[in-house]
Amino acid sequence: MKLYVGSYFAFYTFDRNHWVEIELSQPTQLADILIELGIPLAEIYLVVINGQLVESPNTIVSNDDIVRLYPAIGGG
């Protein structure tokens, strides 16, 4: 799975990179992955999976998915 973390969410990645590749052994709930990374679920404003806006980080994702996360506030 490719994960893009927008704005300050990059702070939670290993090398503070906005793109992270995660190898999943099976389809997994996105929220579980984010909790493991330490990204606060309450601060996620938008979740986009494969170009589609989803309502909740509880969606199941797999290795073929591209996930983008954005907080309510972004900076340039």
Side-chain angles (χ1 to χ4, degrees):
M1 175 188 90
K2 291 183 181 178
L3 174 64
Y4 174 83
V5 289
S7 190
Y8 65 87
F9 285 155
F11 175 79
Y12 296 101
T13 65
F14 175 71
D15 56 0
R16 305 217 174 162
N17 195 342
H18 287 282
W19 281 102
V20 179
E21 290 211 29
I22 299 170
E23 187 69 30
L24 302 173
S25 59
Q26 63 186 15
T28 305
Q29 190 174 45
L30 178 58
D32 292 339
I33 297 166
L34 301 179
I35 289 168
E36 188 173 319
L37 289 173
I39 296 174
L41 298 180
E43 294 182 24
I44 298 171
Y45 184 71
L46 291 175
V47 178
V48 179
I49 299 176
N50 300 324
Q52 299 292 317
L53 184 63
V54 297
E55 295 292 322
S56 167
N58 294 323
T59 303
I60 302 295
V61 294
S62 64
N63 278 328
D64 296 330
D65 290 325
I66 298 173
V67 178
R68 294 174 180 258
L69 302 178
Y70 299 96
I73 301 172

